[in-house]
Amino acid sequence: MEPISYVFPATTPSVAVAGEAVRFPVRRIFCVGQNYAAHTREMGGDPDREPPFFFMKPADAVVDSDATIPYPPLTHDFQHEIELVVAMARGGADISAERALDHVFGYAAGIDLTRRDLQAEAKSKRRPWDWGKGFDHSAPCGPLVRTANVGLPAAGRIWLTVNGVIKQDADLRDLIWSVPDIIAAASRSMTLTPGDLIFTGTPAGVGPIERGDRVTGEIEGIGQIKITVAA
Ligand code: MN
């Protein structure tokens, strides 16, 4: 019998670095659920500082800015979530919040694309979120800006438009858990490694996007992420 042929992936998933030819290789994608009080309430949750919780997307779900993304299968409620993305340059377990920023490569604006109907079904049936969150092209991420250029983005406008209409508009000040808190919490559960991305949660105003829509997200001082949903 002939052995079954197979092909290794040609490239490691990666995201752009602002103003540089080098790209940041992605190892894993962690995402924080419900990290802005108003969004937590709109999803039916209670924002009173419960510990942050996480879910994951596959590394090859990353998509560069200006990509055209196919409308994903199995959903009738494809939604946008603008988020601050943290890129880890150094790993570690049990990283303290005080030292967390020493581990950060940089930041970007990203969109946690969500099949909301599948996520809602998973929640109601107490099933995993993977099918609602971790599908192909579900993690658009703009160019990373290095920490040396921005410090800790603890404040700044974060917003998203669909076809030029503002849908999400908030401030990083409204994060329930700060970037150092999130890194500390994640690293208590898993050893973080260089190449890990953390999507830090979305503010209120999430909603559906349709075929042909142009979606633009921006974080003050960090940058933009733009996608088009294929017609
Ligand atoms: Mn999210």
Side-chain angles (χ1 to χ4, degrees):
M1 217 171 107
E2 286 290 308
I4 295 168
S5 64
Y6 59 93
V7 181
F8 284 111
T11 56
T12 299
S14 64
V15 295
V17 179
E20 300 182 33
V22 68
R23 292 178 63 85
F24 180 87
V26 176
R27 178 158 185 262
R28 294 176 295 189
I29 303 174
F30 297 95
C31 304
V32 181
Q34 300 183 358
N35 199 22
Y36 291 79
H39 172 65
T40 301
R41 285 188 209 99
E42 82 180 348
M43 298 305 289
D46 178 352
D48 289 338
R49 289 182 71 91
E50 283 190 19
F53 68 93
F54 296 84
F55 59 91
M56 298 182 74
K57 295 178 186 253
D60 64 2
V62 288
V63 176
D64 277 332
S65 195
D66 297 312
T68 296
I69 292 176
Y71 194 96
L74 300 181
T75 186
H76 300 286
D77 194 10
F78 183 36
Q79 294 205 356
H80 57 79
E81 297 189 355
I82 179 71
E83 307 200 0
L84 173 69
V85 180
V86 181
M88 301 302 292
R90 296 198 195 102
D94 295 317
I95 299 168
S96 70
E98 292 71 29
R99 302 303 304 274
L101 297 184
D102 298 343
H103 297 251
V104 175
F105 175 86
Y107 304 94
I111 307 175
D112 167 15
L113 290 172
T114 301
R115 295 192 284 202
R116 190 73 68 202
D117 41 2
L118 298 193
Q119 184 200 23
E121 183 185 14
K123 283 184 177 180
S124 72
K125 294 181 176 172
R126 299 186 173 197
R127 290 177 179 167
W129 286 13
D130 305 45
W131 258 215
K133 288 290 195 178
F135 52 95
D136 298 343
H137 317 291
S138 60
C141 187
L144 289 163
V145 290
R146 291 175 180 264
T147 48
N149 299 330
V150 292
L152 168 65
R157 188 181 176 208
I158 175 170
W159 78 102
L160 178 141
T161 65
V162 178
N163 301 323
V165 178
I166 290 187
K167 300 293 186 181
Q168 295 184 268
D169 194 358
D171 196 286
L172 295 176
R173 273 187 204 92
D174 302 332
L175 281 165
I176 296 172
W177 296 95
S178 69
V179 168
D181 289 339
I182 291 164
I183 292 168
S187 73
R188 281 195 291 272
S189 176
M190 299 212 206
T191 303
L192 296 180
T193 59
D196 287 340
L197 297 181
I198 306 175
F199 282 60
T200 58
T202 198
V206 300
I209 46 181
E210 308 293 345
R211 289 174 180 82
D213 281 352
R214 291 170 297 104
V215 182
T216 300
E218 187 161 346
I219 303 175
E220 187 181 349
I222 301 294
Q224 272 195 341
I225 174 69
K226 289 185 185 183
I227 58 166
T228 301
V229 185

